[in-house]
Amino acid sequence: QVQVAESGGGSVQPGGSLRLSCAASGATLDYSAIGWFRQAPGTERKGVSCITSNGNTFYEASVKGRFAISRDNAKNTVYLQMNNLKPEDAAVYYCLTNRDDPLFCGVVAAGVNYENDYWGQGTQVTVSS
């Protein structure tokens, strides 16, 4: 069972940048897709970005051109570089691994939730002036 730990959140002004990390333990990420999700207060968790096991990347429309997802299999870690942050990007960010569902990244890029029993603790991103 893969366990993930998100980190790298913080508080920035609009236009600022953050890099989030998703570090996995318990199993290799080499054969998994990894998705980033976010959840703002009072809203449902929504997909943000996804990277497949072979490095294909997917983005929800509102973050295209501003966010970049990457993976370092040697470190068993996936990153989400977030640039030009906007107040509407403020949320708790979560990552999720998936080895079995070929539709996983498509769901993430559609900006919807993905049903899963296990989620990490997330990392808080605050964007305000």
Side-chain angles (χ1 to χ4, degrees), residues 62-83:
S62 70
V63 307
K64 279 182 181 177
R66 299 189 298 122
F67 290 13
I69 190 171
S70 61
R71 62 192 299 157
D72 185 338
N73 288 347
K75 295 183 178 180
N76 227 25
T77 300
V78 170
Y79 303 99
L80 185 67
Q81 177 67 43
M82 305 188 298
N83 300 324

Side-chain angles (χ1 to χ4, degrees), residues 30-115:
D30 288 7
Y31 310 109
S32 297
I34 294 89
W36 280 99
F37 296 77
R38 62 187 179 188
Q39 186 170 23
T43 70
E44 191 176 47
R45 188 179 288 121
K46 299 176 181 178
V48 176
S49 181
C50 190
I51 188 166
T52 65
S53 59
N54 60 5
N56 292 328
T57 58
F58 299 81
Y59 299 95
E60 189 273 327
S62 70
V63 307
K64 279 182 181 177
R66 299 189 298 122
F67 290 13
I69 190 171
S70 61
R71 62 192 299 157
D72 185 338
N73 288 347
K75 295 183 178 180
N76 227 25
T77 300
V78 170
Y79 303 99
L80 185 67
Q81 177 67 43
M82 305 188 298
N83 300 324
N84 190 21
L85 282 161
K86 303 176 180 181
E88 53 264 40
D89 295 318
V92 178
Y93 282 71
Y94 302 88
C95 62
L96 185 66
T97 68
N98 189 283
R99 287 189 62 165
D100 303 317
D101 185 352
L103 302 180
F104 177 68
C105 278
V107 171
V108 178
V112 299
N113 191 21
Y114 190 89
E115 292 298 327

